[in-house]
Amino acid sequence: MEEQAIFTRAEHIRDVIRYISRFKNAAVVIYLDDRIIDSALWKSHIRDISLIHEAGLRVILVPGAHKHIDKILAENNIAWERKDGFRITTDDAMPLIKTAAFDVSNIVMSSLAGEHLTAVIGNWVRARAKGVLNGTDYGSAGEIDKIDDDTIRTVLADGFIPIFPCIGWSLSGKPYNISSMQLAAQIAVHMQADKLFFLVPDAELSAQYFTLPPDIGISPEGCIPAMNIEELDEFLRVNEKTEKSCKKQVDGKKVTSDRSLDITQQDLREHILSIVRLGRTACTQGVTRVHILNSSLNGTLPCEIFSDLGSGTMIYSSNYGKLRPMERKDIAAVLTLIQPFVRKGILLPRTEEQLESQLNDYVVYELDGGIRACSALHIYDNKQAEIAAVAVDETCAHIGIGPKIMDYLIARAKQLSLASVFVLTTQTTDWFESLGFTSDDISTLPEKRKALWSPARGSKLLRLKLK
C-alpha cells in the first residue's frame, strides 16, 4: 500500500510539473463573479491566483460587479431592468455604476497587494452606446468597440496583473456599462489566450440544473468534466429546447445549496448557459480552452490548470486528447500506466522488450502531453485479432476514453476485413459485454494464442463478430 501511495503522489507531482512547463508564459483570462468577494473563500482564490502568476502564467482579471451595482442603485432608489444580458438604466445612474465597478476592481487590487503582487486598473476598453433596438432604449449599456491589446501586453511584460472594470469609454470619453463576461471572452480572443476561466458561485454543469446528453462523460461528482464543440452543441440543443418549460417549473425556487447568494435556480441555469455560449464563441475564435468553475470549491483554479480533468467543466475545440500510434518514447509511460492493473490482476505484466517488439500493435491516448490510456490489436491470422492491454488511467475513466479506444481498434479490424475480434479478461466481463462482446469457447482461439492461455488464470473469452 505504501508503494502505491508513493506512486500516486509521484504521478500527481509529475502532472503539476508537466503543466507548469506547458503553460509557462501562457495568457490566462479569469472572470471573477463579484459575489465571491463576500465569500469565505475569497482570500483562498486570491492566493491561488497569486500562485498561478508566480508559476509563470500571465494573468488577466475581469471582475464582475453585478451585485455591487445592484446594491448601490437600490440604495439610491434608481430603477433599472435587464434585457438580453444588459442592464438598462438612464444616464444619471452611470456615475454610481462606475463607482461600484471601480470599487470592486480596487478590492481585487488590494487583495492582490496582500499577496505582494502589483496589479493595474486601466481604461483599455473603447465602447459605444448599444442604442435603441426594436424599440428598446438601452440607455447607459454599451458594446465593446476596441481593446488596447498593445498596452495590455506591455503591462503583462512588466510582470503586472491588468484588471478590467466593466466600464468602457467612447471616443469622446463618455462611460458605458459593459458586460464583464463578454469583456472577459473578447479579451481572451484578442490575446489568443490559452485559457479563459469563469469563476462563479454554484456553477455546475450537472443534472441538478440541466438535461445531460445521454453519451456525455460524467465525473464521479455528477458534473460534465469536458466538452468539445460538437458535444457542447448537443448540450445546448437539448437544454435550449427545454429552457422555456424549465423556467415555468423552477421559477422562483432558490438554489438548494446553502452556499448560494440569493439567486434562483432558473437564474443560475440561464447564467451558466450564457457562459457556455460565450465559451463556445471564444473557442471558435482562437481561445484554446474555456473553463467554467464553481467558486464554492476551495482550490478549483489550480486543480483545473495543473491536472488533466480538474474540478470544473472545460470547453475545447481541438488537441485536448487524441488517439495515436504508440512510439518508442511512450513505452516507459505505458508501463507505468498498466502497473496498477497488473497489480490488481486485471492485466498481465509486460516488459519493455515486449512492447518494443509489438510497437505497431499499440495505440495510446495522449492528453496534454501525458499518456492516459493504451491498448493493442494483435492480429493472429486473416480472420481474427485480439484487443489486449486495455488500460485507462483511473482519473480519466469517466470521460469515455475506453470506448473511444475500442471503437478505434474495432474500426481498424474491419478495415483489415477480419471476421471478429476477441478479448480475454478476468474482471471486466461486464464492461466488454456492454460494448457488444459475447462469451465464446476457449477452443475457438487461434492456436498461437491458445498456447499462451493459462487454466490457472482462467481468463474468459469474449468475442465481437464483425461480419
Side-chain angles (χ1 to χ4, degrees):
M1 288 297 293
E2 180 63 23
E3 180 184 352
Q4 177 59 29
I6 292 174
F7 170 78
T8 301
R9 289 198 296 269
E11 282 297 282
H12 290 163
I13 292 169
R14 289 169 186 147
D15 283 344
V16 171
I17 294 171
R18 177 161 51 87
Y19 275 100
I20 288 176
S21 175
R22 179 181 178 86
F23 291 118
K24 189 173 180 63
N25 296 319
V28 175
V29 180
I30 304 174
Y31 165 81
L32 298 167
D33 189 302
D34 67 326
R35 290 173 292 162
I36 304 171
I37 292 173
D38 299 321
S39 75
L41 293 179
W42 172 243
K43 289 185 177 180
S44 178
H45 289 311
I46 289 294
R47 190 176 303 114
D48 288 340
I49 291 171
S50 171
L51 291 172
I52 292 167
H53 180 266
E54 290 174 3
L57 285 75
R58 297 181 296 153
V59 177
I60 301 168
L61 298 180
V62 184
H66 182 91
K67 180 182 176 183
H68 285 71
I69 294 173
D70 283 355
K71 182 180 179 182
I72 198 170
L73 293 182
E75 289 173 348
N76 287 272
N77 297 314
I78 294 179
W80 60 273
E81 61 177 306
R82 183 167 290 276
K83 186 176 179 63
D84 299 328
F86 290 88
R87 183 191 300 273
I88 300 177
T89 65
T90 55
D91 287 343
D92 61 346
M94 198 58 220
L96 295 172
I97 292 174
K98 190 167 65 170
T99 296
F102 276 86
D103 281 349
V104 171
S105 292
N106 277 308
I107 291 171
V108 175
M109 184 171 67
S110 298
S111 298
L112 291 171
E115 296 293 328
H116 308 291
L117 295 179
T118 303
V120 181
I121 301 171
N123 56 344
W124 303 302
V125 181
R126 193 170 75 196
R128 65 183 185 277
K130 188 166 179 64
V132 179
L133 295 176
N134 299 319
T136 299
D137 186 349
Y138 281 79
S140 61
E143 295 274 16
I144 300 165
D145 204 18
K146 183 179 180 181
I147 296 172
D148 188 352
D149 303 357
D150 292 338
T151 301
I152 299 169
R153 290 188 175 90
T154 299
V155 170
L156 291 171
D158 289 339
F160 301 146
I161 297 178
I163 300 175
F164 285 76
C166 56
I167 304 295
W169 281 264
S170 70
L171 285 171
S172 63
K174 184 177 180 179
Y176 289 102
N177 183 198
I178 56 179
S179 164
S180 296
M181 293 197 307
Q182 289 185 10
L183 177 58
Q186 289 203 29
I187 292 170
V189 170
H190 275 261
M191 301 297 295
Q192 291 294 280
D194 292 86
K195 288 182 176 291
L196 166 61
F197 292 93
F198 290 95
L199 195 59
V200 179
D202 293 308
E204 294 180 354
L205 272 71
S206 67
Q208 180 180 0
Y209 307 121
F210 300 101
T211 302
L212 303 186
D215 297 327
I216 202 76
I218 303 297
S219 72
E221 295 77 24
C223 298
I224 301 174
M227 289 189 289
N228 60 32
I229 295 297
E230 292 74 21
E231 292 168 329
L232 182 149
D233 286 341
E234 176 62 13
F235 173 83
L236 285 175
R237 187 189 68 80
V238 298
N239 283 281
E240 288 171 347
K241 183 178 180 180
T242 59
E243 193 166 2
K244 290 183 180 179
S245 60
C246 285
K247 184 173 182 179
K248 291 178 182 178
Q249 294 171 17
V250 302
D251 194 24
K253 179 182 178 183
K254 297 293 183 183
V255 181
T256 54
S257 169
D258 59 5
R259 302 168 302 188
S260 64
L261 296 166
D262 194 28
I263 183 171
T264 67
Q265 182 168 316
Q266 179 60 18
D267 286 342
L268 179 60
R269 186 178 187 277
E270 292 176 353
H271 188 50
I272 297 174
L273 280 175
S274 67
I275 294 173
V276 171
R277 295 184 190 104
L278 282 172
R280 186 194 188 286
T281 300
C283 274
T284 57
Q285 293 182 2
V287 178
T288 307
R289 295 167 197 180
V290 177
H291 304 259
I292 303 171
L293 305 182
N294 181 357
S295 67
S296 303
L297 300 177
N298 197 352
T300 185
L301 269 170
C303 282
E304 192 72 12
I305 293 179
F306 300 124
S307 66
D308 288 332
L309 294 176
S311 59
T313 296
M314 181 178 73
I315 299 168
Y316 63 99
S317 56
S318 62
N319 81 343
Y320 171 59
K322 60 181 178 182
L323 267 171
R324 61 170 177 80
M326 184 173 74
E327 302 172 7
R328 282 185 174 82
K329 65 182 177 64
D330 303 321
I331 290 177
V334 169
L335 289 172
T336 300
L337 174 68
I338 68 174
Q339 181 182 344
F341 300 92
V342 172
R343 187 182 295 110
K344 294 176 183 177
I346 297 173
L347 294 180
L348 290 171
R350 268 85 172 170
T351 65
E352 183 176 344
E353 291 74 19
Q354 284 177 313
L355 292 182
E356 185 155 1
S357 67
Q358 298 175 324
L359 192 67
N360 294 332
D361 291 0
Y362 277 83
V363 294
V364 296
Y365 190 90
E366 181 181 349
L367 193 156
D368 276 340
I371 303 303
R372 295 308 180 197
C374 68
S375 189
L377 185 70
H378 301 312
I379 301 172
Y380 285 95
D381 51 41
N382 294 327
K383 295 182 179 179
Q384 59 183 317
E386 178 186 11
I387 295 178
V390 181
V392 180
D393 190 306
E394 63 177 8
T395 64
C396 307
H398 54 279
I399 62 171
I401 295 176
K404 286 180 182 177
I405 287 183
M406 294 296 293
D407 288 345
Y408 179 86
L409 294 179
I410 290 168
R412 180 191 286 184
K414 288 180 178 179
Q415 289 175 349
L416 296 171
S417 299
L418 300 180
S420 68
V421 291
F422 65 87
V423 296
L424 288 161
T425 180
T426 57
Q427 301 177 40
T428 54
T429 301
D430 291 339
W431 186 73
F432 286 112
E433 288 179 342
S434 72
L435 299 176
F437 285 75
T438 57
S439 296
D440 203 355
D441 194 88
I442 295 298
S443 63
T444 64
L445 285 173
E447 291 302 320
K448 185 177 179 181
R449 184 65 182 88
K450 192 188 301 181
L452 299 174
W453 183 80
S454 167
R457 181 171 171 80
S459 298
K460 294 182 178 181
L461 171 63
L462 296 164
R463 189 179 296 276
L464 179 68
K465 294 182 179 179
L466 306 179
K467 292 183 178 180

